[in-house]
Amino acid sequence: MSATADRLGGAPRVSVIVPTFNRAKMVCSCVASVLAAEDSNLLEVIVIDDCSPDDTKARVAAQFGGDARVRYFRNARNSFQAVSRNNGAKVARGDYLFFLDDDNLVAPTVLAELLDCFARHPDAGLVAPLSVHRRSGGDGLVWTLGSDFSHWTSRPKDRGGNLPLAALPAEPIDYPTTYSPNAFMVPRRLYEELGGMDERFVQIFEESDFGWRVVESGRSAWIAARARTEHLGFLEPGCVPELRLLGIEKPYRTYCFARNRIRFARRHFSFLQALSVAFVFAPLSVVWYGRAALRNRRPDIAWAYLKGTLAGIVGA
């Protein structure tokens, strides 16, 4: 039994929730890395398939069908990340929920380290692993050592973003944050208390909104640098790399991105700050993102960003 289990009065059961869409090979690699974790007999892995048109179901069954720890569910219709995470939480049996994007490979100690972080911070409501990029041109770079937003522009502020992993302190520490993209763990009781993900966000900012609600409820949130995950990234066929890095590779995703940044500001920022986001920064963003889209011959992306911005301003 691990030191974590001893301190918490018995080993807690962890439900790892992995939403996926059309990434059969990648999600199987992700699940395999989770099952290789220490104390893996204390977890379950819940794959939430968002109506993938590929062979995700068949691959998961072929590779993990004989493992009772892996449970596969398919959404009734394509519903995106917020719904998928909530659907996973509804069927989870663990005391802790670990939400993990399918383009990750986790270190064997990730679950134990995240639970240890909860033990170090009794007021913690959310802890996240240190995500390290493993993609062309970004190998070994830290995603973030703490995520936040500018209250006047809604621009993300990632402490230590793109810092080489070798530049971190020799003895890893915990970094405060307000939310975590990509992967995070939360007590199931708290997730239920806060109502889970707000499905009105659909995709983009749903993780940010949940993390902020955790912190606003009086809990703390941390990135545990001892817990590691390799973030592979994913470029779907037909997507432009520059637009993928900006988060606007698809029209509907772009629409949600533009709308939700204003929706997020209205919920969490002061009245004056939300006005600044909606009527100063958002119009400037339409120009900036629109130029990027048009430069890459994607007028549909530019149009989607404009529509999303207008929807956010009018409160749609």
Side-chain angles (χ1 to χ4, degrees):
M1 185 176 292
S2 69
T4 300
D6 291 337
R7 283 197 295 274
L8 296 181
R13 185 174 176 85
V14 177
S15 295
V16 183
I17 298 171
V18 186
T20 190
F21 176 74
N22 210 30
R23 300 179 182 179
K25 183 178 180 180
M26 185 169 279
V27 72
C28 287
S29 296
C30 175
V31 171
S33 75
V34 174
L35 294 177
E38 295 179 358
D39 290 340
S40 61
N41 58 311
L42 305 175
L43 64 87
E44 63 176 355
V45 182
I46 299 170
V47 177
I48 302 294
D49 185 351
D50 198 19
C51 293
S52 299
D54 67 2
D55 60 344
T56 292
K57 181 177 181 179
R59 281 189 180 238
V60 170
Q63 189 164 344
F64 307 110
D67 195 324
R69 294 170 298 175
V70 179
R71 303 167 66 200
Y72 170 92
F73 297 89
R74 184 177 173 89
N75 289 340
R77 62 180 182 277
N78 185 238
S79 304
F80 300 95
Q81 288 93 324
V83 169
S84 292
R85 292 188 177 101
N86 284 344
N87 285 346
K90 290 174 184 175
V91 297
R93 299 177 292 212
D95 298 319
Y96 290 85
L97 308 178
F98 181 33
F99 295 96
L100 181 66
D101 285 359
D102 60 6
D103 55 351
N104 286 275
L105 299 175
V106 302
T109 60
V110 67
L111 300 177
E113 294 291 358
L114 291 174
L115 292 169
D116 278 343
C117 187
F118 274 110
R120 288 192 296 272
H121 304 282
D123 68 333
L126 181 152
V127 300
L130 182 71
S131 292
V132 181
H133 291 305
R134 199 181 89 180
R135 64 185 184 219
S136 178
D139 283 3
L141 298 180
V142 171
W143 187 333
T144 179
L145 295 178
S147 297
D148 202 350
F149 291 99
S150 165
H151 290 205
W152 293 98
T153 67
S154 77
R155 290 191 59 162
K157 298 192 298 183
D158 288 318
R159 185 188 314 112
N162 291 323
L163 184 73
L165 187 60
L168 291 183
E171 179 61 27
I173 61 175
D174 302 328
Y175 297 91
T177 189
T178 58
Y179 72 98
S180 172
N182 189 51
F184 66 90
M185 183 181 285
V186 61
R188 187 177 68 174
R189 183 178 300 176
L190 176 60
Y191 193 81
E192 293 171 350
E193 175 187 322
L194 297 179
M197 296 282 170
D198 185 340
E199 296 180 1
R200 292 173 297 176
F201 282 91
V202 186
Q203 60 176 333
I204 310 295
F205 280 91
E206 81 284 355
E207 295 166 320
S208 309
D209 172 71
F210 181 79
W212 274 56
R213 285 189 282 129
V214 168
V215 174
E216 289 168 351
S217 73
R219 281 82 165 185
S220 62
W222 301 88
I223 292 177
R226 293 182 181 87
R228 300 287 171 86
T229 178
E230 291 185 322
H231 179 240
L232 305 179
F234 185 77
L235 184 64
E236 295 185 15
C239 288
V240 180
E242 179 186 359
L243 300 184
R244 173 67 181 92
L245 290 174
L246 293 175
I248 56 170
E249 69 272 26
K250 292 182 176 181
Y252 186 61
R253 178 183 174 91
T254 301
Y255 172 87
C256 290
F257 180 25
R259 180 196 63 188
N260 290 349
R261 73 186 314 161
I262 299 174
R263 175 175 285 172
F264 179 87
R266 296 167 96 168
R267 169 175 281 185
H268 298 289
F269 300 168
S270 72
F271 177 72
L272 288 178
Q273 290 166 342
L275 283 180
S276 173
V277 171
F279 295 105
V280 178
F281 181 74
L284 293 174
S285 296
V286 169
V287 176
W288 194 82
Y289 283 103
R291 288 182 64 184
L294 294 174
R295 185 168 60 247
N296 286 281
R297 300 180 181 179
R298 291 299 303 271
D300 57 331
I301 297 290
W303 176 236
Y305 199 94
L306 174 60
K307 289 194 297 181
T309 298
L310 293 174
I313 290 173
V314 302

